[in-house]
Amino acid sequence: MRPGWQDRVQLDHYRDVLGWEPFPPAPRDFGDKRPSAPRGVSTLAYAPEEQFEVWRAHHGPLMDVGLPPGTTPAHGFVAEFMTCGLGGLSLAYGHADAHSFGHALGQAGGGGRRTPIGCWRLMLLTVGEIWIESPDGQVQIRPGDLFLLSLDEPFRGRAAHHGGLSLTLPRDLFVAAAANFDSASGTVLTGPLSALLVDYLRSLEARLIGMSPEELVLAGRATAEMLAACVGPSRDRQAQARSAITSILFDRARSHIQAHFGDPELTPERVAQDLRVSRSNLYRVFEQAGGVSHYIQQCRLFAAHAALTHESGRRIQDIAYSCGFKLASDFTRAFRREFGFSPREARAAWRKTAEPALIPASSPAE
């Protein structure tokens, strides 16, 4: 195994929370629509000389796979993935060693007939490179690319040591959009909508742990609807998908900021990193809110205002620090710009209005 390779695709955050199993040598059942919780599978459970044969057997119905020139099964073959069933869609996230792959139309290994799979594969590459040749031409897939491929059309290719996220998309879930998917097959999906979809898929992968079976099915349906709208040519459908993806990203980011605004190191760059989304898309969804920095500042200021008027025993500078301001002077200037008066004036005004309620009323006998 190559040192540090797992870390490059960030699988470590699954290692302590998932049950890890030997990589299944049996092919996947594409007709199984049941949701399944995330689990880890790895070829490292096998002896090095057996690892590639397990990988080959697992992919038998999909494609023929081979090792790079000069490599033999004795060298071992490392493949580790988190897999999850979304009620029809199948998601995998992980990494695999270099190999070649492909199939001729209708042909399986050994010259037999290949049963149609009826699926597309959507791949979001994180590290490494993949080269694929199909009837529509040759494509080089680089980190950050979102690539769609029909598993029922002829193709061949090779992959360097690579990792990322992939979705297996059954054709029967996309009947209305099948022609659009076929047209887009063999291409890297581009454009602002695809960039938003990339951020959505990254956030989906990061939130699968702990989902109930019902939530996994709902996540699968939402993902299928977004994919159909993104790939389809209809402007109305694309606008609907853009709105849905933007709303999900905005809600996630807003919740994250509201939970962490007290951290003085919370910045737009930090939010993008924590949510595993691109800065450009994060900025785009906060345009109508005045920007990410503005929203973080507002969360801090409104929290400070509430504390000033309800926690009279706390020092103003302590409130400023607890709300994420590094300097009390910066807090005072920002507070005055936002509300038109200083923190001290806000507290004084609150005390003036609160004092009558704090003084006991005289009894009728007095």
Side-chain angles (χ1 to χ4, degrees):
M1 182 175 177
R2 292 160 182 80
W5 179 250
Q6 301 153 338
D7 298 337
R8 292 176 62 191
V9 289
Q10 301 179 352
L11 267 179
D12 277 349
H13 67 285
Y14 288 117
R15 298 195 183 280
D16 296 330
V17 296
L18 291 183
W20 285 80
E21 307 169 10
F23 203 97
R28 168 167 153 61
D29 181 3
F30 291 95
D32 187 355
K33 300 296 194 293
R34 294 173 297 177
S36 60
R39 65 190 179 106
V41 295
S42 173
T43 59
L44 291 174
Y46 303 90
E49 63 273 12
E50 299 174 344
Q51 292 168 359
F52 180 72
E53 293 306 319
V54 170
W55 176 262
R56 185 204 299 272
H58 181 80
H59 287 83
L62 291 177
M63 63 191 79
D64 300 317
V65 296
L67 289 168
T71 306
T72 69
H75 291 94
F77 186 88
V78 179
E80 291 190 299
F81 289 88
M82 179 278 291
T83 66
C84 182
L86 302 177
L89 304 184
S90 176
L91 182 146
Y93 177 78
H95 66 96
D97 279 347
H99 63 281
S100 63
F101 55 87
H103 78 76
L105 185 61
Q107 295 296 317
R113 297 292 297 177
R114 183 184 299 275
T115 303
I117 299 298
C119 291
W120 298 276
R121 176 68 56 81
L122 184 71
M123 176 76 180
L124 171 59
L125 199 64
T126 305
V127 293
E129 291 183 301
I130 299 176
W131 297 263
I132 294 182
E133 180 181 347
S134 69
D136 297 319
Q138 297 181 353
V139 178
Q140 182 178 2
I141 310 168
R142 299 178 175 88
D145 286 346
L146 191 64
F147 181 77
L148 182 68
L149 180 69
S150 171
L151 299 180
D152 288 322
E153 296 298 322
F155 61 85
R156 64 180 180 180
R158 59 186 176 89
H161 308 294
H162 69 286
L165 181 149
S166 67
L167 279 170
T168 302
L169 313 173
R171 181 176 286 267
D172 58 7
L173 293 183
F174 300 91
V175 174
N180 299 327
F181 275 66
D182 286 337
S183 297
S185 177
T187 66
V188 173
L189 305 182
T190 59
L193 190 57
S194 296
L196 281 173
L197 181 58
V198 166
D199 285 343
Y200 167 75
L201 292 175
R202 285 174 171 163
S203 65
L204 172 67
E205 175 265 318
R207 296 169 67 89
L208 290 172
I209 299 295
M211 281 192 181
S212 67
E214 294 77 14
E215 290 170 331
L216 290 171
V217 171
L218 290 175
R221 290 175 182 171
T223 303
E225 291 174 1
M226 291 181 186
L227 287 170
C230 288
V231 177
S234 166
R235 290 185 179 180
D236 291 340
R237 293 176 65 190
Q238 291 196 4
Q240 182 180 3
R242 182 181 292 108
S243 176
I245 296 172
T246 299
S247 177
I248 289 173
L249 178 55
F250 180 75
D251 287 344
R252 287 192 63 226
R254 182 177 60 180
S255 297
H256 186 78
I257 291 169
Q258 290 173 352
H260 297 89
F261 66 80
D263 181 355
E265 303 301 326
L266 186 69
T267 62
E269 291 74 18
R270 170 80 172 274
V271 174
Q273 180 180 2
D274 290 346
L275 298 182
R276 297 170 60 192
V277 301
S278 66
R279 287 187 299 175
S280 59
N281 282 336
L282 182 66
Y283 292 160
R284 186 179 298 113
V285 301
F286 272 87
E287 283 178 349
Q288 295 186 351
V292 188
S293 295
H294 178 71
Y295 188 83
I296 294 174
Q297 185 87 311
Q298 277 198 323
C299 285
R300 289 170 171 163
L301 290 172
F302 277 88
H305 189 284
L308 284 167
T309 55
H310 291 84
E311 300 177 28
S312 59
R314 293 180 66 192
R315 297 191 305 169
I316 291 178
Q317 65 181 26
D318 290 340
I319 291 175
Y321 298 148
S322 70
C323 291
F325 290 92
K326 294 182 179 180
L327 297 175
S329 57
D330 290 344
F331 166 64
T332 299
R333 284 192 294 270
F335 194 95
R336 185 181 290 278
R337 283 196 303 269
E338 182 68 31
F339 299 109
F341 44 82
S342 71
R344 193 173 301 278
E345 290 169 338
R347 170 163 281 178
W350 174 80
R351 283 176 173 170
K352 184 176 181 179
T353 58
E355 280 177 358
L358 298 176
I359 299 174
S362 299
S363 66
E366 293 178 340

